[in-house]
Amino acid sequence: MDTQQKKENSFMLLIVIQLILTVSGLIGEVLTVIDGIADAGVTTWISDIFVTAVYAASLYYCIAGYKIPHGNLMRYIMVLFAFSLGMTSVNIDAETVIGVYALVICAVIVAYVSGRLDKIESNRILIAIVVLLLAVRCLVAAFVPSSLVLYLSDKNVSAAVVPQVELSAALIFRTCNQLIQFCSLALGYIVRYKGHADSGK
């Protein structure tokens, strides 16, 4: 197998991984919404709408949207994702301080990357940082004892008061869903970068 064929196979593998991540994440988001529909507030609904929109737009971009010459769809998707991270940081039922800081930092980095999509080499480093921070947030949510989790959404609760929190599978999925979503988004950007650039020539 020559080098060109290997590159093509690797490219197709990345496309398949991106599609699997996007579709599975979208299905998971829908199931999570259905599971918590009775307890969902207005801000949760808004956040879920943003999450679903990012998944749908990422799927479209990877399949066909990248072919639009000089299109800004990926920029808009990243801005939307950054906004959803910011919303999550103030709309969480239970979260660690580490998780909140990770979300805020990721939101800033993603917004920054969205404004310089032409600089893919340096963006790879920033993307890796975001993936690492979101992965840390998932691990903290899954393994930190509930006695260390703070109800940050309750403004009447002092940071010194630490309630017991039951970390359900749905809560863990909601926490890790943004990692899945960003991996899908980043893969779509990277694997379709050349195709999108070529469409504008």
Side-chain angles (χ1 to χ4, degrees):
M1 186 181 295
D2 58 22
T3 304
Q4 183 61 32
Q5 185 63 41
K6 288 181 179 178
K7 285 183 178 179
E8 290 179 3
N9 290 345
S10 298
F11 178 80
M12 289 307 300
L13 178 61
L14 289 175
I15 291 291
V16 170
I17 292 172
Q18 196 276 341
L19 293 176
I20 291 173
L21 282 173
T22 307
V23 173
S24 60
L26 185 57
I27 292 171
E29 173 64 16
V30 170
L31 293 176
T32 304
V33 169
I34 293 171
D35 181 60
I37 196 167
D39 303 319
V42 174
T43 51
T44 302
W45 273 109
I46 294 173
S47 179
D48 286 330
I49 289 170
F50 274 112
V51 170
T52 305
V54 169
Y55 270 127
S58 298
L59 188 61
Y60 170 73
Y61 181 86
C62 198
I63 294 174
Y66 73 94
K67 297 177 183 177
I68 300 173
H70 310 294
N72 288 314
L73 180 58
M74 179 53 69
R75 177 170 286 109
Y76 299 148
I77 298 172
M78 284 201 174
V79 169
L80 196 62
F81 181 72
F83 186 73
S84 76
L85 289 177
M87 282 191 65
T88 302
S89 71
V90 297
N91 184 45
I92 40 188
D93 295 324
E95 185 65 90
T96 62
V97 174
I98 293 173
V100 173
Y101 286 153
L103 283 172
V104 173
I105 294 169
C106 288
V108 172
I109 294 175
V110 173
Y112 177 69
V113 168
S114 72
R116 57 198 303 277
L117 294 178
D118 57 317
K119 305 183 186 303
I120 190 168
E121 293 305 321
S122 56
N123 282 346
R124 289 178 195 269
I125 298 172
L126 296 174
I127 285 170
I129 292 172
V130 173
V131 170
L132 178 62
L133 287 173
L134 291 177
V136 167
R137 178 181 173 239
C138 289
L139 290 173
V140 169
F143 297 110
V144 168
S146 60
S147 60
L148 297 180
V149 180
L150 304 178
Y151 274 93
L152 298 178
S153 60
D154 187 348
K155 307 306 181 189
N156 297 320
V157 175
S158 166
V161 179
V162 185
Q164 297 294 317
V165 178
E166 201 64 41
L167 286 180
S168 65
L171 177 59
I172 292 175
F173 178 81
R174 275 190 178 276
T175 304
C176 297
N177 193 20
Q178 287 174 323
L179 173 61
I180 298 171
Q181 190 171 39
F182 183 72
C183 288
S184 163
L185 185 57
L187 270 177
Y189 161 61
I190 292 170
V191 299
R192 292 306 191 187
Y193 177 81
K194 187 176 185 305
H196 180 60
D198 291 345
S199 71
K201 292 179 180 179

